[in-house]
Amino acid sequence: MPRIVCKTQLAPAIYELVIEEAQVALKAQAGHFVIVMADEHAERIPLTIADYDRGRGEVTLVLMTVGKSSHKLSRLEEGEDLYALIGPLGHPSEIKDFGTVIMVAGGVGTAPVYPIARTLKEQGNRVISIQGARSAELVFWQEKLASVSDRHILTTDDGTAGRKGLVTEPLKELLESEEGIGCVYSIGPAVMMRACAEVTRPFGARTIVSLNTVMVDGTGMCGGCRVRVGEEVLFTCVDGPEFDGHQVDWSSVLTRQRIYHSEEKCSLDRYMAEVDGVAAEQVSGTGATVRGSEG
């Protein structure tokens, strides 16, 4: 069973999990993702591989607690097993000599950007990274990303760290001032990736985005992760997760992300009520101690 060997809270509601899973670590490449289940009743959720160590047989995942399943994962502790970790899945990132590459990381997007930036740097590319967050308390892996970048720019919406503003502002400045930009990677919230694609479009800069769509099996069978790219309907799990940001139908992506909003909220509310009820019983001494990850 894939075992959690290290758990770190990086920021409010953001956790890093280092998982012992030798077979996945052996084949993992930048851009790959895995399907994870916290327990046998949990939802299957996709998480991009944020790092991997083939020698130690470990992969690193970073998640933000948003819904029931991510909360379940966040409650697992070091030494506990995941019910399942399936992968690596999807196509790895295209790694070649682009010359100069701009990596734009928004929020939790810092995690999947890091291994891509590292691999591009190892291939001899000049890497400029733009890392953005809403505020200073949500910034993580700043030094880690900077260590694989020739230049690192930090922005926060409220100005509590780095320069105040959105990641699109330094992106536009770089496109105006730098020559020979071979590629722009943008990974983060869909609205941010869409905005970056619109900034790069007038410059004709190739722009790659990594989509995190609704997904069930991760093998192309369910069709839940379908996305329109140009004139084609593709599946994020088997055709992606990286696509040409100028060709993605962002209106469809954003609509599909909201399609189960009410059901997801209901599921989370019921789960948190169950967790709170168990905690209350433990405090009062009237109930048996139940591991939090089991709800």
Side-chain angles (χ1 to χ4, degrees):
M1 299 290 285
R3 177 161 298 177
I4 300 172
V5 295
C6 184
K7 174 185 176 183
T8 306
Q9 184 165 4
L10 302 173
I14 300 176
Y15 297 86
E16 173 189 301
L17 302 177
V18 180
I19 314 294
E20 186 178 62
E21 180 47 86
Q23 292 301 311
V24 175
L26 182 65
K27 296 181 178 295
Q29 297 182 58
H32 276 147
F33 69 94
V34 291
I35 293 289
V36 179
M37 293 178 67
D39 59 46
E40 62 182 322
H41 303 294
E43 179 185 15
R44 297 162 58 95
I45 62 172
L47 292 173
T48 306
I49 297 174
D51 202 356
Y52 48 88
D53 187 320
R54 304 193 202 285
R56 298 175 64 90
E58 296 171 352
V59 294
T60 299
L61 308 177
V62 174
L63 72 145
M64 172 179 278
T65 52
V66 179
K68 174 183 176 179
S69 294
S70 54
H71 273 84
K72 271 191 172 186
L73 280 171
S74 72
R75 294 175 66 84
L76 291 173
E77 299 296 342
E78 294 178 3
E80 293 189 279
D81 296 334
L82 298 175
Y83 181 74
L85 189 149
I86 304 160
L89 300 171
H91 291 283
S93 302
E94 181 182 359
I95 304 297
K96 67 178 185 179
D97 184 5
F98 289 108
T100 298
V101 183
I102 301 176
M103 310 294 300
V104 186
V108 185
T110 296
V113 159
Y114 169 73
I116 303 172
R118 178 182 61 190
T119 310
L120 286 168
K121 179 67 174 172
E122 291 170 350
Q123 290 295 313
N125 289 277
R126 176 170 176 255
V127 176
I128 303 174
S129 59
I130 305 172
Q131 181 178 4
R134 292 197 304 273
S135 63
E137 67 174 0
L138 295 174
V139 176
F140 67 93
W141 283 16
Q142 179 181 351
E143 294 181 1
K144 195 168 182 175
L145 183 56
S147 71
V148 296
S149 306
D150 294 277
R151 182 181 177 189
H152 177 267
I153 301 168
L154 177 65
T155 73
T156 50
D157 295 359
D158 60 5
T160 51
R163 61 179 279 182
K164 183 177 182 179
L166 305 176
V167 292
T168 49
E169 295 165 12
L171 173 60
K172 183 177 180 182
E173 293 168 4
L174 288 169
L175 291 167
E176 292 172 337
S177 62
E178 294 277 344
E179 294 184 359
I181 302 296
C183 186
V184 175
Y185 264 90
S186 175
I187 305 179
V191 290
M192 184 216 80
M193 292 189 288
R194 179 181 63 178
C196 287
E198 290 309 309
V199 167
T200 62
R201 193 186 300 275
F203 296 91
R206 183 181 180 190
T207 303
I208 300 173
V209 298
S210 180
L211 301 184
N212 188 7
T213 55
V214 173
M215 198 177 292
V216 179
D217 64 284
T219 63
M221 296 295 290
C222 74
C225 66
R226 63 188 180 276
V227 58
R228 181 170 291 278
V229 181
E231 298 301 317
E232 297 181 278
V233 174
L234 302 176
F235 294 158
T236 301
C237 63
V238 293
D239 298 311
E242 296 177 1
F243 298 99
D244 182 342
H246 296 153
Q247 296 295 315
V248 171
D249 181 347
W250 291 107
S251 177
S252 173
V253 168
L254 292 167
T255 298
R256 289 180 61 78
Q257 280 189 342
R258 296 188 294 264
I259 194 169
Y260 296 115
H261 177 75
S262 59
E263 290 85 355
E264 289 169 347
K265 183 179 184 305
C266 178
S267 178
L268 176 60
D269 289 345
R270 291 177 61 183
Y271 172 69
M272 296 308 293
E274 292 172 2
V275 169
D276 290 342
V278 169
E281 288 184 354
Q282 291 174 351
V283 171
S284 67
T286 60
T289 300
V290 180
R291 193 177 69 185
S293 62
E294 296 174 344

